[in-house]
Amino acid sequence: MNLIQQGKNLFCQIDNFSIQKTLKCGQTFRWREVEKNKFIYITGNCPLLMEDVEDGVLFYHMEKNTFLRQWVDFFDLTRDMDAVHRGFPTSELIQKATDFSRGLRILKQSPFEVTLSFIISSNNHIPRIQGCIEELCENFGEKIETPWGEEHAFPSLSALQEVDAEGFRNICRVGYRDRYLTGTIQLLSNHPNFLEEVYAMDYKEGKKHLMILPGVGEKVADCILLFGYHKMEAFPMDIWMKRAMASIQKEGQVEKQDKGKFPGYLQQYLFYHEKEKKMNKRCQRNLKIIEENERIRYEFSL
DNA sequence: GCCCAGGGAATCG
DNA sequence: CGATTCCATGGG
């Protein structure tokens, strides 16, 4: 990794790092693409402006020392990604996903933010999850001034203590998950070190611990452990992962349940690959419909 | 209008 | 234990 200060901005020259893939892979929700390959991302109360460039990522309004102290670990940049890739089981689909998802890094986010975000995520669509979380932040998060305008931080626990189930349902449109949110917020209020304690636990302990929270089952607990604590054994199993694992089984090469040495990274690679494959199919279908409409309109005009 | 989604909890056998 | 059912919402 090579860090080059360019005025107010910092160029992070490094292999296997794409900000686009890192943000779009479903591990985090508070990002938006402002130009091609250029993203605004809010994590906790930190606003970031970043761009994919050749050979690395450009961080706007970033000091080298701040980056070293706060963001190298957050973006998992010290990890040897070649070792991660070598640790995957041998499979055609996994190889495809590795080629496709290379550059994705698993973030080490705030456990509190990840916990509430993935409680909202359950049985929900990603665009709608993002909408719910944006409402949550705009209504209950503190305003933060940034070089490009006003943003909102993720709400603090104390701010959310003031919100009742009706509020979560009516303002954030979280549906039946309103009680999960109020229940979890209450439990965290009564046990202020509840999330902090997980840092000292191993994967299994941490999972059992987190599943005490209302709205946190196996899958959500795995998301919290992976995205909030970098527990690489976690392998969040949703409908997309079940499909991917089924087709890997069908190849016949991989032993059942073998997820290699980095289950967390394997899971994110496969998830991102599956989702983008589907998205591309949809885009192609829409493009075909547009072309067809153009053709019909053209024939009419003759 | 129907199907589905980064599921969890309650209930039942 | 495992299997089933219900839950609220809105994008496709």
Side-chain angles (χ1 to χ4, degrees):
Chain A
M1 180 171 58
N2 195 9
L3 299 177
I4 305 157
Q5 191 78 46
Q6 300 176 342
K8 288 185 176 179
N9 309 329
L10 186 71
F11 174 41
C12 175
Q13 188 177 45
I14 186 172
D15 289 334
N16 294 313
F17 185 31
S18 155
I19 205 64
Q20 166 144 235
K21 293 177 187 177
T22 299
L23 294 179
K24 286 188 174 177
C25 72
Q27 62 178 324
T28 196
F29 301 101
R30 299 201 63 205
W31 55 269
R32 56 186 195 272
E33 192 164 9
V34 288
E35 291 170 30
K36 188 161 173 58
N37 295 328
K38 192 169 172 181
F39 297 83
I40 288 173
Y41 174 51
I42 318 290
T43 176
N45 59 1
C46 300
L48 292 172
L49 180 60
M50 304 164 289
E51 185 176 0
D52 277 321
V53 293
E54 203 168 316
D55 297 329
V57 172
L58 185 60
F59 289 80
Y60 289 85
H61 313 285
M62 179 65 75
E63 292 280 343
K64 186 173 177 177
N65 285 335
T66 310
F67 190 79
L68 286 168
R69 181 172 9 96
Q70 197 171 349
W71 299 110
V72 171
D73 188 41
F74 180 85
F75 284 100
D76 203 26
L77 295 180
T78 54
R79 193 175 298 280
D80 178 356
M81 293 309 295
D82 292 325
V84 171
H85 298 153
R86 282 195 303 273
F88 288 159
T90 310
S91 139
E92 222 174 283
L93 180 59
I94 291 174
Q95 186 56 52
K96 268 190 202 169
T98 303
D99 295 339
F100 183 83
S101 303
R102 177 185 297 272
L104 186 168
R105 301 272 178 160
I106 292 178
L107 303 173
K108 195 173 189 175
Q109 305 175 63
S110 141
F112 179 67
E113 180 169 346
V114 176
T115 299
L116 296 194
S117 298
F118 279 89
I119 286 173
I120 292 171
S121 82
S122 74
N123 197 26
N124 211 342
H125 288 93
I126 288 180
R128 224 176 73 74
I129 300 165
Q130 285 178 320
C132 293
I133 295 175
E134 269 329 292
E135 290 297 331
L136 188 74
C137 295
E138 279 177 24
N139 285 283
F140 309 116
E142 279 189 31
K143 286 180 187 174
I144 41 181
E145 299 299 329
T146 75
W148 57 86
E150 189 175 88
E151 302 279 0
H152 286 265
F154 195 86
S156 65
L157 176 60
S158 59
L160 293 178
Q161 285 167 345
E162 311 299 320
V163 188
D164 60 7
E166 291 271 304
F168 286 127
R169 181 175 291 222
N170 296 333
I171 297 171
C172 307
R173 316 300 298 163
V174 296
Y176 61 88
R177 306 164 194 85
D178 54 355
R179 297 297 167 87
Y180 299 161
L181 291 176
T182 55
T184 287
I185 286 160
Q186 190 174 21
L187 200 149
L188 293 179
S189 306
N190 295 335
H191 302 85
N193 289 323
F194 189 90
L195 293 176
E196 200 67 27
E197 287 164 5
V198 179
Y199 285 110
M201 297 179 185
D202 64 18
Y203 166 67
K204 271 192 144 180
E205 260 185 303
K207 187 162 177 174
K208 210 167 75 178
H209 186 71
L210 288 170
M211 283 172 68
I212 296 169
L213 297 170
V216 178
E218 273 204 48
K219 191 266 173 184
V220 171
D222 273 329
C223 287
I224 301 169
L225 289 163
L226 185 57
F227 307 141
Y229 298 93
H230 270 181
K231 303 284 188 200
M232 289 298 149
E233 305 97 309
F235 192 93
M237 190 67 96
D238 66 355
I239 182 71
W240 299 95
M241 277 307 104
K242 285 175 186 164
R243 287 174 203 152
M245 291 312 276
S247 60
I248 289 169
Q249 294 302 321
K250 244 195 288 183
E251 294 175 15
Q253 289 270 47
V254 179
E255 297 245 356
K256 228 178 183 178
Q257 301 302 335
D258 179 18
K259 299 173 181 106
K261 289 173 79 173
F262 297 93
Y265 264 100
L266 176 62
Q267 193 275 354
Q268 273 314 100
Y269 274 33
L270 287 169
F271 180 80
Y272 180 60
H273 181 54
E274 293 293 320
K275 296 290 283 188
E276 290 294 309
K277 247 190 338 194
K278 191 200 164 194
M279 180 114 72
N280 286 340
K281 269 187 191 166
R282 208 178 59 215
C283 286
Q284 280 169 21
R285 220 173 29 236
N286 290 341
L287 200 62
K288 260 189 186 173
I289 292 167
I290 290 169
E291 283 170 359
E292 180 68 5
N293 287 343
E294 288 291 326
R295 194 182 61 76
I296 290 167
R297 206 181 305 164
Y298 178 69
E299 282 183 4
F300 261 101
S301 70
L302 290 181

PDB file of all heavy atoms in Angstrom, chain A residues 1-4 6 10-19 37 51-59 67 77 103 105:
ATOM      1  N   MET A   1       0.848  -1.208   0.000  1.00  0.00           N
ATOM      2  CA  MET A   1       0.000   0.000   0.000  1.00  0.00           C
ATOM      3  C   MET A   1       0.874   1.245   0.000  1.00  0.00           C
ATOM      4  O   MET A   1       1.831   1.346   0.746  1.00  0.00           O
ATOM      5  CB  MET A   1      -0.906   0.008   1.240  1.00  0.00           C
ATOM      6  CG  MET A   1      -1.811   1.216   1.299  1.00  0.00           C
ATOM      7  SD  MET A   1      -3.051   1.093   2.591  1.00  0.00           S
ATOM      8  CE  MET A   1      -2.054   0.896   4.045  1.00  0.00           C
ATOM      9  N   ASN A   2       0.527   2.170  -0.860  1.00  0.00           N
ATOM     10  CA  ASN A   2       1.296   3.404  -1.002  1.00  0.00           C
ATOM     11  C   ASN A   2       0.343   4.591  -0.863  1.00  0.00           C
ATOM     12  O   ASN A   2      -0.614   4.708  -1.617  1.00  0.00           O
ATOM     13  CB  ASN A   2       1.974   3.406  -2.380  1.00  0.00           C
ATOM     14  CG  ASN A   2       3.058   4.439  -2.478  1.00  0.00           C
ATOM     15  OD1 ASN A   2       3.421   5.056  -1.464  1.00  0.00           O
ATOM     16  ND2 ASN A   2       3.564   4.658  -3.677  1.00  0.00           N
ATOM     17  N   LEU A   3       0.599   5.468   0.125  1.00  0.00           N
ATOM     18  CA  LEU A   3      -0.286   6.608   0.374  1.00  0.00           C
ATOM     19  C   LEU A   3       0.373   7.897  -0.100  1.00  0.00           C
ATOM     20  O   LEU A   3       1.472   8.231   0.330  1.00  0.00           O
ATOM     21  CB  LEU A   3      -0.628   6.710   1.862  1.00  0.00           C
ATOM     22  CG  LEU A   3      -1.359   5.505   2.456  1.00  0.00           C
ATOM     23  CD1 LEU A   3      -1.577   5.704   3.952  1.00  0.00           C
ATOM     24  CD2 LEU A   3      -2.679   5.268   1.748  1.00  0.00           C
ATOM     25  N   ILE A   4      -0.326   8.594  -0.985  1.00  0.00           N
ATOM     26  CA  ILE A   4       0.245   9.803  -1.560  1.00  0.00           C
ATOM     27  C   ILE A   4      -0.706  10.976  -1.323  1.00  0.00           C
ATOM     28  O   ILE A   4      -1.830  10.989  -1.836  1.00  0.00           O
ATOM     29  CB  ILE A   4       0.491   9.624  -3.077  1.00  0.00           C
ATOM     30  CG1 ILE A   4       1.378   8.387  -3.324  1.00  0.00           C
ATOM     31  CG2 ILE A   4       1.107  10.876  -3.674  1.00  0.00           C
ATOM     32  CD1 ILE A   4       1.242   7.807  -4.701  1.00  0.00           C
ATOM     33  N   GLN A   6      -2.235  14.379  -2.007  1.00  0.00           N
ATOM     34  CA  GLN A   6      -2.319  15.264  -3.180  1.00  0.00           C
ATOM     35  C   GLN A   6      -3.158  16.469  -2.777  1.00  0.00           C
ATOM     36  O   GLN A   6      -4.362  16.505  -3.013  1.00  0.00           O
ATOM     37  CB  GLN A   6      -2.956  14.525  -4.359  1.00  0.00           C
ATOM     38  CG  GLN A   6      -2.162  13.285  -4.790  1.00  0.00           C
ATOM     39  CD  GLN A   6      -2.834  12.494  -5.889  1.00  0.00           C
ATOM     40  OE1 GLN A   6      -4.037  12.645  -6.126  1.00  0.00           O
ATOM     41  NE2 GLN A   6      -2.065  11.654  -6.565  1.00  0.00           N
ATOM     42  N   LEU A  10      -6.210  12.298  -0.625  1.00  0.00           N
ATOM     43  CA  LEU A  10      -5.228  11.238  -0.410  1.00  0.00           C
ATOM     44  C   LEU A  10      -5.447  10.123  -1.426  1.00  0.00           C
ATOM     45  O   LEU A  10      -6.548   9.568  -1.533  1.00  0.00           O
ATOM     46  CB  LEU A  10      -5.359  10.677   1.011  1.00  0.00           C
ATOM     47  CG  LEU A  10      -4.299   9.653   1.410  1.00  0.00           C
ATOM     48  CD1 LEU A  10      -2.945  10.324   1.605  1.00  0.00           C
ATOM     49  CD2 LEU A  10      -4.701   8.916   2.681  1.00  0.00           C
ATOM     50  N   PHE A  11      -4.394   9.802  -2.140  1.00  0.00           N
ATOM     51  CA  PHE A  11      -4.450   8.700  -3.094  1.00  0.00           C
ATOM     52  C   PHE A  11      -3.912   7.447  -2.424  1.00  0.00           C
ATOM     53  O   PHE A  11      -2.768   7.419  -1.991  1.00  0.00           O
ATOM     54  CB  PHE A  11      -3.634   9.048  -4.345  1.00  0.00           C
ATOM     55  CG  PHE A  11      -3.512   7.905  -5.313  1.00  0.00           C
ATOM     56  CD1 PHE A  11      -4.588   7.070  -5.597  1.00  0.00           C
ATOM     57  CD2 PHE A  11      -2.302   7.668  -5.964  1.00  0.00           C
ATOM     58  CE1 PHE A  11      -4.469   6.014  -6.485  1.00  0.00           C
ATOM     59  CE2 PHE A  11      -2.174   6.609  -6.864  1.00  0.00           C
ATOM     60  CZ  PHE A  11      -3.257   5.786  -7.118  1.00  0.00           C
ATOM     61  N   CYS A  12      -4.766   6.441  -2.328  1.00  0.00           N
ATOM     62  CA  CYS A  12      -4.381   5.167  -1.737  1.00  0.00           C
ATOM     63  C   CYS A  12      -4.105   4.191  -2.867  1.00  0.00           C
ATOM     64  O   CYS A  12      -5.028   3.661  -3.486  1.00  0.00           O
ATOM     65  CB  CYS A  12      -5.494   4.648  -0.825  1.00  0.00           C
ATOM     66  SG  CYS A  12      -5.168   3.005  -0.176  1.00  0.00           S
ATOM     67  N   GLN A  13      -2.811   3.981  -3.127  1.00  0.00           N
ATOM     68  CA  GLN A  13      -2.419   3.079  -4.213  1.00  0.00           C
ATOM     69  C   GLN A  13      -2.277   1.672  -3.642  1.00  0.00           C
ATOM     70  O   GLN A  13      -1.455   1.434  -2.745  1.00  0.00           O
ATOM     71  CB  GLN A  13      -1.081   3.557  -4.794  1.00  0.00           C
ATOM     72  CG  GLN A  13      -0.673   2.811  -6.042  1.00  0.00           C
ATOM     73  CD  GLN A  13       0.624   3.375  -6.594  1.00  0.00           C
ATOM     74  OE1 GLN A  13       1.569   3.615  -5.843  1.00  0.00           O
ATOM     75  NE2 GLN A  13       0.667   3.581  -7.906  1.00  0.00           N
ATOM     76  N   ILE A  14      -3.086   0.763  -4.133  1.00  0.00           N
ATOM     77  CA  ILE A  14      -3.120  -0.583  -3.553  1.00  0.00           C
ATOM     78  C   ILE A  14      -3.812  -1.537  -4.521  1.00  0.00           C
ATOM     79  O   ILE A  14      -4.672  -1.137  -5.292  1.00  0.00           O
ATOM     80  CB  ILE A  14      -3.858  -0.551  -2.191  1.00  0.00           C
ATOM     81  CG1 ILE A  14      -3.782  -1.912  -1.484  1.00  0.00           C
ATOM     82  CG2 ILE A  14      -5.301  -0.108  -2.364  1.00  0.00           C
ATOM     83  CD1 ILE A  14      -4.313  -1.869  -0.065  1.00  0.00           C
ATOM     84  N   ASP A  15      -3.416  -2.793  -4.471  1.00  0.00           N
ATOM     85  CA  ASP A  15      -4.068  -3.816  -5.299  1.00  0.00           C
ATOM     86  C   ASP A  15      -5.345  -4.300  -4.632  1.00  0.00           C
ATOM     87  O   ASP A  15      -5.496  -4.204  -3.420  1.00  0.00           O
ATOM     88  CB  ASP A  15      -3.126  -5.015  -5.491  1.00  0.00           C
ATOM     89  CG  ASP A  15      -1.970  -4.671  -6.410  1.00  0.00           C
ATOM     90  OD1 ASP A  15      -2.124  -3.758  -7.252  1.00  0.00           O
ATOM     91  OD2 ASP A  15      -0.901  -5.306  -6.278  1.00  0.00           O
ATOM     92  N   ASN A  16      -6.220  -4.855  -5.428  1.00  0.00           N
ATOM     93  CA  ASN A  16      -7.426  -5.501  -4.906  1.00  0.00           C
ATOM     94  C   ASN A  16      -8.249  -4.584  -4.003  1.00  0.00           C
ATOM     95  O   ASN A  16      -8.661  -4.959  -2.914  1.00  0.00           O
ATOM     96  CB  ASN A  16      -7.054  -6.770  -4.119  1.00  0.00           C
ATOM     97  CG  ASN A  16      -6.453  -7.831  -4.999  1.00  0.00           C
ATOM     98  OD1 ASN A  16      -6.970  -8.122  -6.073  1.00  0.00           O
ATOM     99  ND2 ASN A  16      -5.339  -8.399  -4.565  1.00  0.00           N
ATOM    100  N   PHE A  17      -8.494  -3.362  -4.447  1.00  0.00           N
ATOM    101  CA  PHE A  17      -9.356  -2.461  -3.686  1.00  0.00           C
ATOM    102  C   PHE A  17     -10.194  -1.639  -4.652  1.00  0.00           C
ATOM    103  O   PHE A  17      -9.671  -0.818  -5.400  1.00  0.00           O
ATOM    104  CB  PHE A  17      -8.513  -1.546  -2.790  1.00  0.00           C
ATOM    105  CG  PHE A  17      -9.340  -0.662  -1.886  1.00  0.00           C
ATOM    106  CD1 PHE A  17     -10.581  -1.062  -1.409  1.00  0.00           C
ATOM    107  CD2 PHE A  17      -8.858   0.591  -1.506  1.00  0.00           C
ATOM    108  CE1 PHE A  17     -11.320  -0.241  -0.574  1.00  0.00           C
ATOM    109  CE2 PHE A  17      -9.597   1.412  -0.673  1.00  0.00           C
ATOM    110  CZ  PHE A  17     -10.828   1.001  -0.208  1.00  0.00           C
ATOM    111  N   SER A  18     -11.499  -1.901  -4.642  1.00  0.00           N
ATOM    112  CA  SER A  18     -12.455  -1.147  -5.440  1.00  0.00           C
ATOM    113  C   SER A  18     -13.520  -0.590  -4.508  1.00  0.00           C
ATOM    114  O   SER A  18     -14.188  -1.342  -3.796  1.00  0.00           O
ATOM    115  CB  SER A  18     -13.110  -2.049  -6.490  1.00  0.00           C
ATOM    116  OG  SER A  18     -14.385  -1.547  -6.854  1.00  0.00           O
ATOM    117  N   ILE A  19     -13.668   0.719  -4.497  1.00  0.00           N
ATOM    118  CA  ILE A  19     -14.647   1.323  -3.591  1.00  0.00           C
ATOM    119  C   ILE A  19     -16.060   0.994  -4.056  1.00  0.00           C
ATOM    120  O   ILE A  19     -16.974   0.792  -3.262  1.00  0.00           O
ATOM    121  CB  ILE A  19     -14.419   2.858  -3.460  1.00  0.00           C
ATOM    122  CG1 ILE A  19     -14.978   3.334  -2.125  1.00  0.00           C
ATOM    123  CG2 ILE A  19     -15.023   3.658  -4.586  1.00  0.00           C
ATOM    124  CD1 ILE A  19     -14.276   2.755  -0.932  1.00  0.00           C
ATOM    125  N   ASN A  37     -18.206   6.133 -10.736  1.00  0.00           N
ATOM    126  CA  ASN A  37     -17.067   5.674  -9.912  1.00  0.00           C
ATOM    127  C   ASN A  37     -16.757   6.577  -8.716  1.00  0.00           C
ATOM    128  O   ASN A  37     -15.712   6.445  -8.088  1.00  0.00           O
ATOM    129  CB  ASN A  37     -15.792   5.541 -10.759  1.00  0.00           C
ATOM    130  CG  ASN A  37     -15.932   4.470 -11.807  1.00  0.00           C
ATOM    131  OD1 ASN A  37     -16.626   3.476 -11.609  1.00  0.00           O
ATOM    132  ND2 ASN A  37     -15.300   4.685 -12.947  1.00  0.00           N
ATOM    133  N   GLU A  51     -13.330   7.923  -4.747  1.00  0.00           N
ATOM    134  CA  GLU A  51     -13.443   7.634  -6.179  1.00  0.00           C
ATOM    135  C   GLU A  51     -12.492   6.507  -6.572  1.00  0.00           C
ATOM    136  O   GLU A  51     -11.324   6.503  -6.176  1.00  0.00           O
ATOM    137  CB  GLU A  51     -13.114   8.905  -6.980  1.00  0.00           C
ATOM    138  CG  GLU A  51     -13.313   8.745  -8.471  1.00  0.00           C
ATOM    139  CD  GLU A  51     -13.074  10.054  -9.231  1.00  0.00           C
ATOM    140  OE1 GLU A  51     -12.756  11.074  -8.569  1.00  0.00           O
ATOM    141  OE2 GLU A  51     -13.194  10.032 -10.460  1.00  0.00           O
ATOM    142  N   ASP A  52     -13.022   5.574  -7.358  1.00  0.00           N
ATOM    143  CA  ASP A  52     -12.160   4.555  -7.949  1.00  0.00           C
ATOM    144  C   ASP A  52     -11.329   5.182  -9.051  1.00  0.00           C
ATOM    145  O   ASP A  52     -11.884   5.799  -9.965  1.00  0.00           O
ATOM    146  CB  ASP A  52     -13.015   3.415  -8.542  1.00  0.00           C
ATOM    147  CG  ASP A  52     -13.419   2.403  -7.488  1.00  0.00           C
ATOM    148  OD1 ASP A  52     -12.587   2.092  -6.618  1.00  0.00           O
ATOM    149  OD2 ASP A  52     -14.564   1.916  -7.547  1.00  0.00           O
ATOM    150  N   VAL A  53     -10.017   5.063  -8.937  1.00  0.00           N
ATOM    151  CA  VAL A  53      -9.130   5.537 -10.002  1.00  0.00           C
ATOM    152  C   VAL A  53      -8.196   4.388 -10.374  1.00  0.00           C
ATOM    153  O   VAL A  53      -8.258   3.321  -9.776  1.00  0.00           O
ATOM    154  CB  VAL A  53      -8.317   6.774  -9.549  1.00  0.00           C
ATOM    155  CG1 VAL A  53      -9.231   7.960  -9.342  1.00  0.00           C
ATOM    156  CG2 VAL A  53      -7.544   6.484  -8.272  1.00  0.00           C
ATOM    157  N   GLU A  54      -7.347   4.618 -11.364  1.00  0.00           N
ATOM    158  CA  GLU A  54      -6.448   3.551 -11.769  1.00  0.00           C
ATOM    159  C   GLU A  54      -5.485   3.236 -10.626  1.00  0.00           C
ATOM    160  O   GLU A  54      -4.943   4.130  -9.994  1.00  0.00           O
ATOM    161  CB  GLU A  54      -5.678   3.966 -13.019  1.00  0.00           C
ATOM    162  CG  GLU A  54      -5.169   2.779 -13.796  1.00  0.00           C
ATOM    163  CD  GLU A  54      -4.666   3.206 -15.167  1.00  0.00           C
ATOM    164  OE1 GLU A  54      -5.344   4.013 -15.818  1.00  0.00           O
ATOM    165  OE2 GLU A  54      -3.588   2.727 -15.554  1.00  0.00           O
ATOM    166  N   ASP A  55      -5.317   1.974 -10.340  1.00  0.00           N
ATOM    167  CA  ASP A  55      -4.354   1.487  -9.336  1.00  0.00           C
ATOM    168  C   ASP A  55      -4.730   1.801  -7.892  1.00  0.00           C
ATOM    169  O   ASP A  55      -3.892   1.670  -7.003  1.00  0.00           O
ATOM    170  CB  ASP A  55      -2.947   2.069  -9.584  1.00  0.00           C
ATOM    171  CG  ASP A  55      -2.392   1.612 -10.917  1.00  0.00           C
ATOM    172  OD1 ASP A  55      -2.743   0.495 -11.326  1.00  0.00           O
ATOM    173  OD2 ASP A  55      -1.641   2.379 -11.538  1.00  0.00           O
ATOM    174  N   GLY A  56      -5.966   2.245  -7.637  1.00  0.00           N
ATOM    175  CA  GLY A  56      -6.309   2.496  -6.247  1.00  0.00           C
ATOM    176  C   GLY A  56      -7.553   3.338  -6.077  1.00  0.00           C
ATOM    177  O   GLY A  56      -8.407   3.400  -6.958  1.00  0.00           O
ATOM    178  N   VAL A  57      -7.658   3.967  -4.923  1.00  0.00           N
ATOM    179  CA  VAL A  57      -8.836   4.759  -4.565  1.00  0.00           C
ATOM    180  C   VAL A  57      -8.384   6.140  -4.107  1.00  0.00           C
ATOM    181  O   VAL A  57      -7.421   6.274  -3.347  1.00  0.00           O
ATOM    182  CB  VAL A  57      -9.649   4.066  -3.445  1.00  0.00           C
ATOM    183  CG1 VAL A  57     -10.758   4.973  -2.942  1.00  0.00           C
ATOM    184  CG2 VAL A  57     -10.214   2.742  -3.941  1.00  0.00           C
ATOM    185  N   LEU A  58      -9.105   7.160  -4.571  1.00  0.00           N
ATOM    186  CA  LEU A  58      -8.833   8.537  -4.159  1.00  0.00           C
ATOM    187  C   LEU A  58      -9.817   8.927  -3.064  1.00  0.00           C
ATOM    188  O   LEU A  58     -11.037   8.833  -3.267  1.00  0.00           O
ATOM    189  CB  LEU A  58      -8.970   9.460  -5.373  1.00  0.00           C
ATOM    190  CG  LEU A  58      -8.609  10.924  -5.165  1.00  0.00           C
ATOM    191  CD1 LEU A  58      -7.155  11.082  -4.731  1.00  0.00           C
ATOM    192  CD2 LEU A  58      -8.861  11.716  -6.447  1.00  0.00           C
ATOM    193  N   PHE A  59      -9.291   9.323  -1.907  1.00  0.00           N
ATOM    194  CA  PHE A  59     -10.114   9.799  -0.788  1.00  0.00           C
ATOM    195  C   PHE A  59     -10.051  11.322  -0.759  1.00  0.00           C
ATOM    196  O   PHE A  59      -8.977  11.890  -0.559  1.00  0.00           O
ATOM    197  CB  PHE A  59      -9.603   9.221   0.543  1.00  0.00           C
ATOM    198  CG  PHE A  59      -9.863   7.761   0.707  1.00  0.00           C
ATOM    199  CD1 PHE A  59      -9.054   6.818   0.103  1.00  0.00           C
ATOM    200  CD2 PHE A  59     -10.936   7.318   1.482  1.00  0.00           C
ATOM    201  CE1 PHE A  59      -9.286   5.453   0.249  1.00  0.00           C
ATOM    202  CE2 PHE A  59     -11.181   5.959   1.636  1.00  0.00           C
ATOM    203  CZ  PHE A  59     -10.364   5.028   1.018  1.00  0.00           C
ATOM    204  N   PHE A  67      -6.112   8.820   7.971  1.00  0.00           N
ATOM    205  CA  PHE A  67      -6.349   7.591   7.220  1.00  0.00           C
ATOM    206  C   PHE A  67      -5.692   6.394   7.891  1.00  0.00           C
ATOM    207  O   PHE A  67      -6.313   5.345   8.073  1.00  0.00           O
ATOM    208  CB  PHE A  67      -5.827   7.749   5.793  1.00  0.00           C
ATOM    209  CG  PHE A  67      -6.233   6.628   4.880  1.00  0.00           C
ATOM    210  CD1 PHE A  67      -7.508   6.599   4.335  1.00  0.00           C
ATOM    211  CD2 PHE A  67      -5.346   5.602   4.563  1.00  0.00           C
ATOM    212  CE1 PHE A  67      -7.894   5.563   3.497  1.00  0.00           C
ATOM    213  CE2 PHE A  67      -5.729   4.574   3.726  1.00  0.00           C
ATOM    214  CZ  PHE A  67      -7.006   4.549   3.195  1.00  0.00           C
ATOM    215  N   LEU A  77      -7.483  -3.002   4.845  1.00  0.00           N
ATOM    216  CA  LEU A  77      -6.479  -2.864   3.789  1.00  0.00           C
ATOM    217  C   LEU A  77      -5.167  -3.575   4.074  1.00  0.00           C
ATOM    218  O   LEU A  77      -4.323  -3.698   3.189  1.00  0.00           O
ATOM    219  CB  LEU A  77      -6.218  -1.370   3.515  1.00  0.00           C
ATOM    220  CG  LEU A  77      -7.436  -0.621   2.953  1.00  0.00           C
ATOM    221  CD1 LEU A  77      -7.097   0.848   2.720  1.00  0.00           C
ATOM    222  CD2 LEU A  77      -7.941  -1.261   1.655  1.00  0.00           C
ATOM    223  N   GLY A 103     -11.454  -7.017  -5.383  1.00  0.00           N
ATOM    224  CA  GLY A 103     -11.476  -5.586  -5.078  1.00  0.00           C
ATOM    225  C   GLY A 103     -12.421  -5.262  -3.938  1.00  0.00           C
ATOM    226  O   GLY A 103     -12.300  -4.230  -3.292  1.00  0.00           O
ATOM    227  N   ARG A 105     -13.729  -5.325  -0.341  1.00  0.00           N
ATOM    228  CA  ARG A 105     -13.144  -5.473   1.003  1.00  0.00           C
ATOM    229  C   ARG A 105     -14.263  -5.480   2.033  1.00  0.00           C
ATOM    230  O   ARG A 105     -15.218  -4.703   1.925  1.00  0.00           O
ATOM    231  CB  ARG A 105     -12.211  -4.307   1.320  1.00  0.00           C
ATOM    232  CG  ARG A 105     -11.060  -4.151   0.366  1.00  0.00           C
ATOM    233  CD  ARG A 105      -9.876  -4.969   0.795  1.00  0.00           C
ATOM    234  NE  ARG A 105      -8.780  -4.850  -0.174  1.00  0.00           N
ATOM    235  CZ  ARG A 105      -7.522  -5.120   0.106  1.00  0.00           C
ATOM    236  NH1 ARG A 105      -7.173  -5.532   1.308  1.00  0.00           N
ATOM    237  NH2 ARG A 105      -6.590  -4.991  -0.818  1.00  0.00           N
TER     238      ARG A 105
END
